[in-house]
């Protein structure tokens, strides 16, 4: 997968320092090596992730999380947010009124 917004991950790793114990470099390697063809495959690879449409939230130790937008067809992942768990809310889809 091609990663966009990787600087957000590097910034989180810098801020968290030893709090993530190498989790960020490992996640970057996994995302770059991934070649998922569907959101279901991503869900299988990250079983604890919260997936809503193309949005993926991966929870990390220490109260941190990564929010991604994944386009399996284009083989691209946008790092939308990387930081404290309290930062952004993953909004569920709302039906038409």
């Amino acid at each position: 997968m091609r990663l966009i917004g990787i600087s957000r991950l590097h910034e989180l790793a810098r801020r968290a320092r030893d709090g993530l114990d190498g989790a960020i470099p490992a996640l970057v390697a996994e995302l770059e090596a991934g070649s998922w063809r569907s959101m279901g495959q991503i869900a299988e690879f990250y079983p604890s992730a919260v997936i809503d449409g193309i949005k993926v939230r991966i929870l990390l130790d220490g109260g941190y999380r990564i929010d991604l937008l994944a386009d399996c067809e284009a083989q691209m992942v946008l790092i939308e947010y990387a930081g404290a768990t309290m930062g952004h809310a993953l909004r569920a889809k709302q039906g038409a009124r």
Side-chain angles (χ1 to χ4, degrees), residues 3-84:
L3 298 183
I4 301 169
I6 196 167
S7 62
R8 289 182 176 95
L9 293 176
H10 293 305
E11 178 62 21
L12 174 58
R14 186 188 66 73
R15 282 181 293 161
R17 300 191 184 173
D18 296 332
L20 293 174
D21 291 329
I24 298 298
L27 179 63
V28 169
E30 288 175 353
L31 291 172
E32 287 178 333
S35 60
W36 305 288
R37 296 289 174 201
S38 70
M39 296 308 287
Q41 288 181 338
I42 293 175
E44 288 176 17
F45 195 82
Y46 295 105
S48 64
V50 176
I51 298 177
D52 180 20
I54 64 167
K55 296 180 181 185
V56 179
R57 175 168 291 159
I58 299 171
L59 299 175
L60 303 175
D61 290 338
Y64 297 102
R65 75 169 201 266
I66 311 297
D67 290 344
L68 314 169
L69 299 177
D71 184 337
C72 295
E73 187 174 316
Q75 290 291 290
M76 294 174 62
V77 171
L78 170 66
I79 312 302
E80 186 176 52
Y81 175 80

Side-chain angles (χ1 to χ4, degrees), residues 78-93:
L78 170 66
I79 312 302
E80 186 176 52
Y81 175 80
T85 302
M86 301 296 282
H88 281 51
L90 182 64
R91 291 179 178 87
K93 291 184 215 173

